[in-house]
Amino acid sequence: MNLEEQLTAEQFYNNFVADDRFVKYILGGLKTTLLVTLFAVLLGIFLGFLVGTVRSTYERTGKLGVLNVFCRAYLSVIRGTPVTVQLMITYYFIFSSPDSSKLLCAILAFGINSGAYVAEIRHHVHRQWTVRGGKKPGLQLRPDHLVYYPAPGL
């Protein structure tokens, strides 16, 4: 074993094996990532369904005009800025207190971002369903009807 291989093996041991660093840092980070993902997706689905419903209701009936303005502004701002910028704004400006939870900050930032995209999906599926009179877009969302529908005119 030459000196370079010995240093590499020693560095690997010091970085991953010594003091159970693999368990503490890598698996701890995986746990945190999965928690943030789970709760951000749940928040995004709830928020997106709510915003998409408001937008669809406004288009269909003309009611909820003030809420529709707020929802359109929310969608424009959130979809128009990178998620890293949203995360930094949430962490440094909204949760700037030293006692605030970093985990909660990440969940809210990613959940709000996810909600904007879910709202657009919900809004456009509802629009296609009601405007065209067909049920193909609705069937595409059901897992038991995974069927390819060609675009109209092809």
Side-chain angles (χ1 to χ4, degrees), residues 29-44:
L30 178 65
K31 177 185 156 198
T32 302
T33 300
L34 292 176
L35 278 173
V36 168
T37 302
L38 174 70
F39 288 112
V41 165
L42 291 175
L43 177 65

Side-chain angles (χ1 to χ4, degrees), residues 1-9:
M1 198 179 219
N2 63 17
L3 182 62
E4 186 176 314
E5 289 174 355
Q6 188 176 10
L7 285 177
T8 304

